[in-house]
Amino acid sequence: MKLLIVEDEPHVRERIAEGIDWAAYQIELAAAVESAQEALMIMHNDKIDLVLSDIYMPEMSGLELAKRIKAEFPLVKTILLSGYDEFEYARESIAYGVFKYLLKPAENEEIVSTVLEARSVRERELHDKHNLQTLQQRWKDHFPYLRELFYKNWLNGRYSEREIEKSSQEFALSLERQIYLPLILDMDPIAKDNERFQPRDRSLVQFQLFTIARDLLPGTEWMVLQDDDGMTAVVCSAPADVQEDAFCNRVNSLVSTVLGTVHDCLKLTASAGIGTVVRTPLLLSQAYKQSRLALQERLIFGNGIAIPYRNDGAAQRSWVLMEQLEKELELSIETGDESKRRQTIAAIMESEFSEEHVLADSKEALWRFVCLLARMVHKHGWTLRDTLKEEIEDFEQFHQLLSKEQIAEWLDRMSSRISQSIAERRQSGTQIAMNEVVGFIHAHLHEEALSLYLISEKTYISYSYLSRTFKEAIGESFTEYVLRLRMERAKELLSKGCKVYDVSEQVGYKHVNYFSKNFQRYWGIKPSDVNK
């Protein structure tokens, strides 16, 4: 649940926002702002569940805000803080849909209790709106699409072995003791002199091929879908105790039926590429790549045929596993997770540099990781020399590594240096962003509407990033920093003899009384007494 605090008095706002550990109550504090206009801006850009607002504020009162919230965000629960002389008036405004009114000065415990009560009501309403029966029906309606998306991602190697297993359980698919054979179907090029179709109709006839395959290959042992490029992908499965030859013959027979039906219906030809049989779910993506390679052979063998993949053996599990380890190593380097990085390197050593591997395979594996590290650096737009610095010579001499231990140490050292460089440059990027933000604050200190949201929009830096990093980088919260700058600037101008109302405008206060109130609270004297 997200809470938005709206309070124009800085000390009250800070007390509620920072004096209460909202996270301990499973409440996410979205923002603490000083005006209703800022609050509405946030609500139009973020999903807010609860609003805690003062009643008396310049420009737009809390009651007006509550009225706007009821009209635009009817499910949001609004809690108002009101002074004694406003309390009865506020209680009469039931039409504004206010959840509860608290009399100032409300203690933190009372505020927390009321917010939690509002959250409870909000959660019940959400539960009623999204009850289990409704969610089950939505899941049922979307099930075919989600299942197809799972297969597409699985075929294209976007899942790790653990993710395949987890997703298959969600879709009630039994992957144990199964064999798989992937294939790809595609329409052959349309001749320019064809009387029924033109080359521009390729997407249309591809879809017709998909519908024919889906109609002719029903049942749970066939999964038919369109891949991202419009070609028809098929996953064929059978129990593991089925003879592979019989399984392949049946697949070939049905593929021939599909190709023949396409020719009869469309008077066009289609071709198919058939991968190899695999017995491990993780290897399906590799076999699917093989089917696509086989399809490319139609350039040699001609159109309108099914072409099996020919190679010197089935996909090797260790090579597919290496793809997963590459992804894990890259992620650990990017995120700076030292523990995960070293675990992954240990797994790489065990997988590809153990004693049972021939030298040529180990050299090939080493080349893969040299290329991975170089690609990671170049992806950021950097050079290896600038990134690795004094380590560049050792990086270039990777071919001189003579033992498993040397390779592991080299890989860890190079990965660590790249990870460190990424962290340093991100920190530098944060400092550049904060310098831009500080510059904007100083240039717009005279604007009453100055806020993190305004800065976010003008500097194209996300609000969530600003709110998370500002205090860490500057040492003060945004509210504290702006207030200090305004008060210091106001004192400087007043000491030079400037009029109070002029100073008020120059430091972002439209109402002189409000400025004077804040100035006296901050410095302990009235603005008019500065030169006395």
Side-chain angles (χ1 to χ4, degrees), residues 56-144:
Y56 180 74
M57 294 182 292
E59 299 296 328
M60 183 188 295
S61 71
L63 286 175
E64 291 174 296
L65 174 62
K67 187 176 181 180
R68 289 280 298 274
I69 289 174
K70 184 182 180 184
E72 298 180 38
F73 311 96
L75 297 179
V76 172
K77 301 302 172 192
T78 303
I79 301 166
L80 291 182
L81 294 166
S82 63
Y84 180 78
D85 55 344
E86 307 158 344
F87 193 62
E88 289 304 319
Y89 163 63
R91 285 170 61 93
E92 294 174 3
S93 303
I94 304 299
Y96 294 157
V98 175
F99 178 76
K100 187 170 279 191
Y101 297 90
L102 297 178
L103 184 62
K104 280 187 173 183
E107 296 296 329
N108 284 0
E109 292 77 9
E110 184 182 7
I111 291 173
V112 169
S113 175
T114 305
V115 169
L116 293 180
E117 184 183 349
R119 180 185 71 177
S120 179
V121 174
R122 177 82 173 104
E123 286 175 341
R124 285 199 300 271
E125 290 177 351
L126 283 173
H127 181 270
D128 292 341
K129 183 179 179 182
H130 304 285
N131 60 69
L132 183 59
Q133 185 177 1
T134 302
L135 290 176
Q136 288 175 335
Q137 183 59 46
R138 289 181 180 174
W139 169 258
K140 184 178 179 181
D141 293 341
H142 287 80
F143 183 85

XYZ file of all heavy atoms in Angstrom, residues 56-144:
744
model
N -5.908 22.953 6.128
C -5.609 24.334 5.754
C -4.260 24.391 5.047
O -3.208 24.165 5.631
C -5.585 25.262 6.965
C -5.276 26.685 6.567
C -6.237 27.470 5.927
C -4.016 27.226 6.789
C -5.955 28.762 5.525
C -3.723 28.532 6.400
C -4.702 29.291 5.762
O -4.411 30.571 5.356
N -4.303 24.703 3.747
C -3.093 24.894 2.949
C -3.369 26.009 1.951
O -4.517 26.195 1.536
C -2.725 23.607 2.193
C -2.308 22.437 3.086
S -1.828 20.978 2.111
C -3.405 20.515 1.390
N -2.331 26.754 1.572
C -2.535 27.822 0.583
C -2.895 27.237 -0.786
O -2.613 26.068 -1.061
C -1.175 28.527 0.544
C -0.196 27.508 1.031
C -0.937 26.688 2.045
N -3.520 28.053 -1.609
C -3.905 27.680 -2.974
C -5.082 26.710 -3.006
O -6.147 27.007 -3.516
C -2.719 27.098 -3.761
C -1.552 28.049 -3.923
C -1.921 29.279 -4.734
O -2.761 29.186 -5.637
O -1.355 30.359 -4.452
N -4.888 25.500 -2.479
C -5.962 24.502 -2.482
C -6.008 23.830 -1.114
O -5.008 23.293 -0.644
C -5.737 23.441 -3.570
C -6.877 22.418 -3.650
S -6.510 21.040 -4.782
C -6.414 21.902 -6.345
N -7.172 23.864 -0.471
C -7.293 23.289 0.867
C -7.369 21.767 0.796
O -7.582 21.169 -0.270
C -8.552 23.820 1.558
O -9.717 23.257 0.949
N -7.218 21.145 1.972
C -7.338 19.699 2.047
C -8.724 19.201 1.665
O -8.880 18.116 1.100
N -9.755 20.018 1.988
C -11.122 19.627 1.619
C -11.302 19.646 0.101
O -11.931 18.758 -0.475
C -12.127 20.569 2.286
C -12.335 20.371 3.786
C -13.266 21.438 4.337
C -12.898 18.988 4.071
N -10.743 20.647 -0.546
C -10.812 20.699 -2.008
C -10.043 19.525 -2.613
O -10.466 18.929 -3.606
C -10.240 22.023 -2.504
C -11.090 23.241 -2.155
C -10.406 24.528 -2.549
O -9.332 24.844 -1.988
O -10.948 25.216 -3.433
N -8.901 19.208 -2.010
C -8.128 18.061 -2.467
C -8.943 16.778 -2.323
O -8.981 15.939 -3.231
C -6.817 17.950 -1.682
C -5.969 16.701 -1.962
C -5.524 16.661 -3.422
C -4.741 16.666 -1.028
N -9.617 16.628 -1.170
C -10.432 15.433 -0.938
C -11.542 15.321 -1.981
O -11.875 14.219 -2.454
C -11.027 15.470 0.468
N -12.113 16.456 -2.339
C -13.166 16.466 -3.351
C -12.630 16.008 -4.701
O -13.274 15.222 -5.411
C -13.752 17.875 -3.456
C -14.976 17.987 -4.360
C -15.529 19.407 -4.325
C -16.771 19.530 -5.211
N -17.323 20.913 -5.176
N -11.421 16.488 -5.052
C -10.802 16.087 -6.313
C -10.447 14.603 -6.294
O -10.623 13.894 -7.303
C -9.535 16.921 -6.546
C -9.779 18.374 -6.883
C -10.145 18.544 -8.356
N -9.092 18.106 -9.249
C -8.061 18.861 -9.646
N -7.979 20.123 -9.214
N -7.154 18.398 -10.484
N -9.974 14.148 -5.158
C -9.602 12.735 -5.046
C -10.824 11.840 -5.219
O -10.786 10.824 -5.927
C -8.912 12.456 -3.688
C -7.526 13.094 -3.663
C -8.802 10.953 -3.432
C -6.824 13.002 -2.337
N -11.932 12.231 -4.580
C -13.149 11.428 -4.711
C -13.612 11.363 -6.160
O -14.076 10.319 -6.633
C -14.262 11.995 -3.835
C -15.519 11.124 -3.872
C -16.647 11.700 -3.044
C -17.867 10.788 -3.132
N -19.026 11.360 -2.413
N -13.470 12.459 -6.884
C -13.925 12.516 -8.279
C -12.991 11.745 -9.205
O -13.444 11.043 -10.116
C -14.035 13.969 -8.729
N -11.679 11.858 -8.973
C -10.715 11.276 -9.906
C -10.157 9.929 -9.451
O -9.780 9.103 -10.282
C -9.554 12.253 -10.122
C -9.989 13.581 -10.736
C -8.812 14.518 -10.930
O -7.722 14.030 -11.291
O -8.973 15.741 -10.704
N -10.098 9.705 -8.139
C -9.534 8.463 -7.602
C -10.461 7.926 -6.510
O -10.117 7.959 -5.317
C -8.130 8.705 -7.033
C -7.215 9.456 -7.968
C -7.065 10.836 -7.854
C -6.520 8.790 -8.969
C -6.228 11.536 -8.711
C -5.681 9.481 -9.830
C -5.534 10.855 -9.706
N -11.644 7.457 -6.862
C -12.674 7.123 -5.872
C -12.291 6.021 -4.883
O -12.879 5.949 -3.809
C -13.865 6.689 -6.741
C -13.267 6.327 -8.065
C -12.105 7.216 -8.247
N -11.316 5.194 -5.221
C -10.942 4.099 -4.323
C -9.893 4.511 -3.291
O -9.632 3.777 -2.342
C -10.420 2.907 -5.139
C -11.442 2.264 -6.092
C -10.795 1.111 -6.846
C -12.656 1.764 -5.320
N -9.289 5.671 -3.477
C -8.258 6.135 -2.548
C -8.900 6.584 -1.233
O -9.945 7.244 -1.227
C -7.459 7.305 -3.168
C -6.519 7.935 -2.136
C -6.669 6.816 -4.378
N -8.280 6.218 -0.119
C -8.768 6.602 1.204
C -8.040 7.863 1.669
O -6.810 7.883 1.736
C -8.536 5.465 2.216
C -9.215 4.157 1.829
C -10.700 4.351 1.680
C -11.372 3.113 1.094
N -12.752 3.382 0.696
N -8.817 8.901 1.999
C -8.237 10.184 2.408
C -8.474 10.423 3.893
O -9.600 10.293 4.388
C -8.867 11.346 1.611
O -8.687 11.104 0.216
C -8.220 12.667 1.982
N -7.396 10.766 4.595
C -7.453 11.116 6.020
C -7.041 12.580 6.142
O -6.019 12.981 5.591
C -6.500 10.232 6.843
C -6.866 8.747 6.671
C -6.530 10.623 8.321
C -5.793 7.799 7.162
N -7.840 13.385 6.848
C -7.547 14.809 6.979
C -7.136 15.169 8.407
O -7.714 14.676 9.380
C -8.762 15.644 6.572
C -9.144 15.635 5.085
C -10.327 16.558 4.852
C -7.966 16.062 4.220
N -6.131 16.029 8.494
C -5.698 16.595 9.766
C -6.265 18.017 9.854
O -6.075 18.821 8.946
C -4.170 16.650 9.831
C -3.431 15.305 9.843
C -1.952 15.521 9.575
C -3.633 14.615 11.185
N -6.970 18.320 10.928
C -7.593 19.651 11.027
C -7.372 20.252 12.405
O -7.248 19.539 13.401
C -9.096 19.552 10.746
O -9.723 18.739 11.719
N -7.301 21.587 12.426
C -7.211 22.296 13.688
C -8.550 22.280 14.403
O -9.587 21.941 13.823
N -8.546 22.699 15.673
C -9.777 22.631 16.490
C -10.900 23.450 15.882
O -12.041 23.009 15.797
C -9.480 23.114 17.912
C -10.692 23.067 18.826
C -11.103 21.860 19.377
C -11.413 24.225 19.112
C -12.224 21.808 20.198
C -12.536 24.174 19.934
C -12.937 22.964 20.475
O -14.053 22.890 21.274
N -10.566 24.673 15.392
C -11.603 25.552 14.878
C -12.125 25.106 13.510
O -13.119 25.625 13.012
C -11.086 26.993 14.791
C -9.810 27.085 13.962
O -9.185 26.026 13.729
O -9.447 28.200 13.551
N -11.445 24.162 12.882
C -11.880 23.654 11.581
C -12.570 22.304 11.707
O -13.140 21.805 10.753
C -10.660 23.494 10.655
C -9.808 24.744 10.526
C -8.395 24.403 10.088
O -8.009 23.225 10.190
O -7.670 25.320 9.659
N -12.508 21.707 12.901
C -12.884 20.302 13.056
C -14.359 20.062 12.765
O -14.705 19.157 11.999
C -12.529 19.843 14.477
C -12.582 18.344 14.630
C -11.740 17.519 13.885
C -13.470 17.746 15.525
C -11.779 16.145 14.036
C -13.517 16.379 15.670
C -12.664 15.572 14.933
N -15.243 20.833 13.369
C -16.670 20.625 13.150
C -17.049 20.880 11.692
O -17.849 20.167 11.104
C -17.488 21.535 14.089
C -17.427 21.120 15.542
C -17.867 19.676 15.745
O -18.857 19.245 15.098
O -17.216 18.958 16.529
N -16.424 21.912 11.118
C -16.667 22.214 9.708
C -16.231 21.032 8.831
O -16.924 20.641 7.892
C -15.894 23.478 9.337
C -15.717 23.704 7.858
C -16.805 23.912 7.011
C -14.434 23.713 7.298
C -16.623 24.131 5.655
C -14.257 23.926 5.944
C -15.354 24.128 5.127
O -15.178 24.330 3.780
N -15.093 20.449 9.185
C -14.584 19.316 8.408
C -15.490 18.102 8.548
O -15.762 17.397 7.573
C -13.168 18.965 8.869
N -16.015 17.869 9.732
C -16.864 16.697 9.973
C -18.149 16.765 9.139
O -18.729 15.736 8.808
C -17.202 16.599 11.455
C -16.043 16.110 12.312
C -16.378 16.287 13.790
N -17.559 15.516 14.181
C -17.484 14.286 14.681
N -16.326 13.689 14.833
N -18.587 13.648 15.045
N -18.572 17.988 8.856
C -19.806 18.142 8.092
C -19.613 17.837 6.603
O -20.583 17.658 5.866
C -20.338 19.565 8.251
C -20.776 19.891 9.676
C -21.158 21.362 9.820
O -21.129 22.069 8.782
O -21.467 21.778 10.947
N -18.363 17.750 6.163
C -18.083 17.578 4.736
C -17.995 16.097 4.378
O -17.036 15.642 3.752
C -16.775 18.294 4.379
O -16.856 19.637 4.732
N -18.992 15.344 4.807
C -19.012 13.905 4.553
C -19.084 13.623 3.053
O -18.581 12.605 2.565
C -20.209 13.241 5.265
C -20.164 13.560 6.769
C -20.228 11.750 5.028
C -18.929 13.053 7.462
N -19.688 14.538 2.313
C -19.870 14.325 0.870
C -18.537 14.209 0.141
O -18.493 13.710 -0.985
C -20.681 15.471 0.275
N -17.451 14.662 0.766
C -16.149 14.602 0.108
C -15.502 13.221 0.236
O -14.397 13.016 -0.267
C -15.209 15.659 0.685
C -15.660 17.079 0.386
C -15.247 18.137 1.181
C -16.498 17.367 -0.694
C -15.653 19.444 0.906
C -16.907 18.658 -0.972
C -16.490 19.687 -0.173
O -16.891 20.973 -0.443
N -16.173 12.305 0.905
C -15.686 10.933 0.969
C -14.452 10.743 1.824
O -13.680 9.806 1.616
N -14.241 11.626 2.813
C -13.070 11.505 3.682
C -13.241 10.305 4.607
O -14.306 10.105 5.202
C -12.869 12.792 4.499
C -11.719 12.629 5.484
C -12.622 13.967 3.570
N -12.186 9.501 4.713
C -12.254 8.293 5.540
C -12.348 8.646 7.024
O -13.156 8.084 7.761
C -11.022 7.417 5.286
C -10.980 6.176 6.134
C -11.785 5.088 5.838
C -10.157 6.118 7.254
C -11.756 3.951 6.640
C -10.122 4.984 8.051
C -10.929 3.895 7.740
N -11.494 9.575 7.485
C -11.518 9.955 8.902
C -10.821 11.308 9.063
O -9.960 11.675 8.273
C -10.829 8.898 9.766
C -10.956 9.147 11.256
C -10.464 7.961 12.078
C -11.523 6.873 12.186
N -11.158 5.839 13.183
N -11.230 12.048 10.128
C -10.615 13.322 10.465
C -9.871 13.171 11.781
O -10.379 12.571 12.733
C -11.686 14.415 10.610
C -12.447 14.679 9.341
C -13.609 13.978 9.054
C -11.990 15.627 8.427
C -14.307 14.213 7.883
C -12.682 15.864 7.259
C -13.842 15.150 6.988
O -14.522 15.381 5.836
N -8.648 13.717 11.839
C -7.862 13.703 13.062
C -7.640 15.140 13.515
O -7.329 16.019 12.702
C -6.506 13.027 12.823
C -6.550 11.545 12.410
C -5.134 11.022 12.169
C -7.245 10.702 13.473
N -7.787 15.355 14.811
C -7.626 16.691 15.370
C -6.150 16.954 15.677
O -5.475 16.146 16.320
C -8.459 16.824 16.645
C -8.477 18.200 17.317
C -9.094 19.234 16.385
C -9.266 18.128 18.631
N -5.634 18.068 15.178
C -4.243 18.438 15.456
C -4.091 18.880 16.913
O -5.021 19.492 17.461
C -3.820 19.587 14.530
C -3.449 19.172 13.122
C -2.889 20.387 12.381
C -2.338 20.029 11.033
N -1.731 21.181 10.360
N -2.931 18.659 17.518
C -1.797 17.913 16.961
C -1.963 16.419 17.234
O -1.910 15.993 18.410
C -0.596 18.468 17.718
C -1.172 18.857 19.062
C -2.605 19.268 18.813
N -2.195 15.635 16.226
C -2.384 14.189 16.387
C -1.041 13.523 16.651
O -0.048 13.821 15.985
C -3.022 13.610 15.123
N -1.013 12.621 17.617
C 0.212 11.905 17.935
C 0.493 10.876 16.836
O -0.409 10.408 16.135
C 0.086 11.199 19.285
C -0.095 12.146 20.459
C 1.126 13.033 20.662
O 2.249 12.575 20.344
O 0.946 14.180 21.127
N 1.782 10.490 16.712
C 2.162 9.527 15.680
C 1.404 8.208 15.817
O 1.031 7.576 14.819
C 3.667 9.265 15.729
C 4.470 10.405 15.129
O 3.895 11.396 14.666
N 5.785 10.287 15.127
N 1.178 7.792 17.059
C 0.481 6.519 17.285
C -0.942 6.571 16.735
O -1.430 5.603 16.128
C 0.437 6.177 18.790
C 1.790 5.837 19.400
C 2.643 7.066 19.656
O 2.121 8.204 19.521
O 3.838 6.900 19.982
N -1.618 7.709 16.942
C -2.976 7.855 16.434
C -2.984 7.890 14.904
O -3.861 7.312 14.258
C -3.605 9.136 16.995
C -5.063 9.321 16.587
C -5.660 10.611 17.115
O -4.910 11.425 17.691
O -6.885 10.807 16.943
N -1.988 8.554 14.331
C -1.890 8.625 12.866
C -1.666 7.231 12.287
O -2.331 6.826 11.327
C -0.750 9.577 12.452
C -1.121 11.020 12.805
C -0.449 9.454 10.953
C 0.005 12.009 12.586
N -0.740 6.489 12.882
C -0.456 5.125 12.399
C -1.704 4.257 12.489
O -2.052 3.532 11.552
C 0.700 4.500 13.204
C 0.821 3.006 12.885
C 2.013 5.200 12.900
N -2.370 4.326 13.628
C -3.575 3.516 13.832
C -4.633 3.813 12.769
O -5.258 2.899 12.216
C -4.136 3.772 15.232
O -5.360 3.079 15.410
N -4.828 5.095 12.474
C -5.838 5.490 11.477
C -5.433 5.058 10.076
O -6.263 4.577 9.300
C -6.047 7.014 11.520
O -6.390 7.401 12.853
C -7.161 7.422 10.576
N -4.157 5.221 9.745
C -3.676 4.804 8.422
C -3.832 3.298 8.249
O -4.262 2.825 7.186
C -2.207 5.235 8.217
C -1.621 4.577 6.965
C -2.101 6.750 8.102
N -3.520 2.529 9.274
C -3.660 1.071 9.192
C -5.129 0.670 9.052
O -5.465 -0.291 8.354
C -3.040 0.409 10.422
C -1.514 0.534 10.548
C -1.038 -0.171 11.811
C -0.808 -0.052 9.326
N -5.986 1.406 9.731
C -7.426 1.141 9.604
C -7.895 1.404 8.169
O -8.655 0.620 7.592
C -8.192 2.033 10.586
C -9.696 1.763 10.606
C -10.431 2.707 11.539
O -9.764 3.430 12.323
O -11.685 2.737 11.484
N -7.427 2.510 7.602
C -7.783 2.833 6.209
C -7.224 1.786 5.256
O -7.874 1.397 4.278
C -7.254 4.216 5.849
N -6.011 1.331 5.541
C -5.415 0.289 4.693
C -6.243 -0.984 4.726
O -6.457 -1.635 3.694
C -3.986 -0.018 5.147
C -3.311 -1.093 4.290
C -1.951 -1.473 4.796
N -2.011 -2.220 6.036
C -0.954 -2.722 6.674
N 0.257 -2.524 6.169
N -1.089 -3.376 7.796
N -6.717 -1.343 5.920
C -7.518 -2.550 6.056
C -8.776 -2.476 5.198
O -9.145 -3.444 4.519
C -7.883 -2.761 7.522
O -8.682 -3.913 7.673
N -9.439 -1.313 5.227
C -10.638 -1.124 4.401
C -10.278 -1.190 2.926
O -10.982 -1.821 2.119
C -11.310 0.221 4.735
C -12.466 0.496 3.779
C -11.801 0.232 6.183
N -9.187 -0.548 2.548
C -8.743 -0.552 1.145
C -8.434 -1.977 0.680
O -8.779 -2.357 -0.444
C -7.502 0.329 1.016
C -6.900 0.357 -0.395
C -7.633 1.326 -1.265
N -6.963 1.486 -2.547
C -7.373 0.958 -3.684
N -8.476 0.243 -3.735
N -6.704 1.159 -4.810
N -7.797 -2.755 1.528
C -7.464 -4.135 1.162
C -8.713 -4.976 0.979
O -8.786 -5.812 0.068
C -6.553 -4.751 2.227
C -5.124 -4.219 2.178
C -4.277 -4.743 3.315
O -4.863 -5.218 4.329
O -3.034 -4.670 3.214
N -9.708 -4.765 1.850
C -10.962 -5.520 1.707
C -11.648 -5.178 0.392
O -12.182 -6.055 -0.292
C -11.895 -5.232 2.889
C -11.486 -5.923 4.182
C -12.657 -5.990 5.156
N -13.165 -4.668 5.504
C -12.710 -3.941 6.513
N -11.720 -4.400 7.266
N -13.233 -2.753 6.779
N -11.624 -3.890 0.047
C -12.239 -3.470 -1.215
C -11.504 -4.078 -2.410
O -12.124 -4.506 -3.386
C -12.238 -1.949 -1.310
C -13.189 -1.290 -0.335
C -13.114 0.227 -0.394
O -12.207 0.761 -1.063
O -13.958 0.879 0.246
N -10.176 -4.102 -2.321
C -9.401 -4.700 -3.405
C -9.685 -6.190 -3.521
O -9.785 -6.748 -4.618
C -7.905 -4.482 -3.163
C -7.363 -3.088 -3.463
C -5.914 -2.979 -3.023
C -7.475 -2.774 -4.948
N -9.831 -6.835 -2.366
C -10.119 -8.266 -2.373
C -11.476 -8.529 -3.001
O -11.652 -9.482 -3.775
C -10.085 -8.826 -0.947
C -10.342 -10.308 -0.893
N -11.605 -10.843 -0.755
C -9.495 -11.355 -0.991
C -11.534 -12.155 -0.752
N -10.265 -12.498 -0.890
N -12.445 -7.688 -2.659
C -13.774 -7.861 -3.247
C -13.740 -7.656 -4.758
O -14.436 -8.335 -5.515
C -14.762 -6.875 -2.613
C -15.036 -7.196 -1.159
O -14.773 -8.347 -0.748
O -15.497 -6.302 -0.426
N -12.912 -6.680 -5.177
C -12.840 -6.390 -6.604
C -12.089 -7.487 -7.351
O -12.414 -7.830 -8.487
C -12.129 -5.049 -6.817
C -12.077 -4.622 -8.278
C -11.391 -3.271 -8.428
C -11.317 -2.860 -9.895
N -10.605 -1.573 -10.064
N -11.081 -8.009 -6.713
C -10.264 -9.032 -7.366
C -10.362 -10.343 -6.578
O -9.362 -10.893 -6.128
C -8.803 -8.570 -7.431
C -8.629 -7.250 -8.107
N -8.718 -7.091 -9.461
C -8.393 -6.002 -7.619
C -8.530 -5.825 -9.787
N -8.339 -5.141 -8.680
N -11.571 -10.811 -6.362
C -11.748 -12.023 -5.569
C -11.196 -13.232 -6.310
O -10.934 -13.206 -7.514
C -13.222 -12.231 -5.219
C -14.080 -12.355 -6.465
O -14.002 -13.332 -7.200
N -14.887 -11.346 -6.737
N -11.058 -14.309 -5.587
C -10.428 -15.511 -6.118
C -11.137 -16.034 -7.353
O -10.508 -16.439 -8.334
C -10.380 -16.592 -5.024
C -9.673 -17.892 -5.399
C -8.229 -17.618 -5.788
C -9.734 -18.878 -4.238
N -12.458 -16.005 -7.319
C -13.218 -16.520 -8.457
C -12.930 -15.702 -9.723
O -12.752 -16.259 -10.809
C -14.707 -16.491 -8.147
C -15.573 -17.115 -9.242
C -17.045 -17.123 -8.858
O -17.425 -16.659 -7.788
N -17.870 -17.669 -9.726
N -12.867 -14.368 -9.547
C -12.579 -13.513 -10.695
C -11.178 -13.782 -11.233
O -10.965 -13.871 -12.446
C -12.698 -12.031 -10.298
O -14.015 -11.787 -9.799
C -12.425 -11.130 -11.492
N -10.209 -13.889 -10.309
C -8.847 -14.152 -10.740
C -8.736 -15.494 -11.446
O -8.012 -15.631 -12.441
C -7.908 -14.121 -9.530
C -7.681 -12.748 -8.893
C -6.818 -12.880 -7.653
C -7.029 -11.797 -9.882
N -9.448 -16.498 -10.941
C -9.412 -17.813 -11.579
C -9.990 -17.749 -12.990
O -9.474 -18.389 -13.912
C -10.182 -18.826 -10.724
C -9.458 -19.211 -9.446
C -10.300 -20.116 -8.562
O -11.533 -20.112 -8.633
N -9.634 -20.877 -7.706
N -11.060 -16.968 -13.162
C -11.658 -16.851 -14.493
C -10.712 -16.118 -15.436
O -10.556 -16.502 -16.597
C -12.994 -16.096 -14.398
C -13.731 -15.989 -15.728
C -14.054 -17.338 -16.320
O -14.529 -18.245 -15.631
N -13.780 -17.497 -17.608
N -10.051 -15.068 -14.923
C -9.099 -14.345 -15.752
C -7.927 -15.231 -16.146
O -7.455 -15.192 -17.280
C -8.601 -13.106 -15.013
C -9.646 -12.001 -14.887
C -9.097 -10.800 -14.171
N -10.097 -9.753 -14.054
C -9.916 -8.628 -13.373
N -8.778 -8.412 -12.744
N -10.877 -7.712 -13.315
N -7.463 -16.027 -15.197
C -6.370 -16.964 -15.488
C -6.813 -17.967 -16.560
O -6.060 -18.256 -17.500
C -5.955 -17.687 -14.214
C -5.022 -18.840 -14.450
C -5.332 -20.160 -14.462
C -3.623 -18.766 -14.712
N -4.222 -20.915 -14.708
C -3.148 -20.083 -14.873
C -2.712 -17.707 -14.833
C -1.818 -20.381 -15.142
C -1.384 -18.005 -15.104
C -0.956 -19.331 -15.251
N -8.033 -18.442 -16.431
C -8.552 -19.388 -17.412
C -8.637 -18.755 -18.798
O -8.284 -19.384 -19.811
C -9.935 -19.877 -16.972
C -10.533 -20.944 -17.877
C -11.882 -21.403 -17.340
C -12.502 -22.465 -18.260
N -13.824 -22.906 -17.748
N -9.085 -17.491 -18.842
C -9.214 -16.800 -20.123
C -7.859 -16.561 -20.774
O -7.723 -16.635 -22.005
C -9.930 -15.456 -19.927
C -11.387 -15.631 -19.502
O -11.932 -16.737 -19.713
O -11.961 -14.672 -18.955
N -6.855 -16.258 -19.952
C -5.539 -15.942 -20.488
C -4.617 -17.159 -20.572
O -3.504 -17.045 -21.096
C -4.853 -14.867 -19.620
C -5.429 -13.498 -19.792
N -6.593 -13.114 -19.165
C -5.030 -12.432 -20.524
C -6.873 -11.869 -19.498
N -5.946 -11.427 -20.326
N -5.081 -18.297 -20.078
C -4.228 -19.478 -19.993
C -3.598 -19.860 -21.335
O -2.387 -20.093 -21.420
C -5.015 -20.660 -19.415
C -4.192 -21.898 -19.230
C -3.434 -22.073 -18.086
C -4.167 -22.897 -20.200
C -2.670 -23.205 -17.911
C -3.402 -24.032 -20.038
C -2.645 -24.182 -18.892
N -4.387 -19.952 -22.442
C -3.778 -20.349 -23.723
C -2.655 -19.411 -24.159
O -1.607 -19.859 -24.636
C -4.967 -20.297 -24.698
C -6.171 -20.479 -23.836
C -5.844 -19.777 -22.553
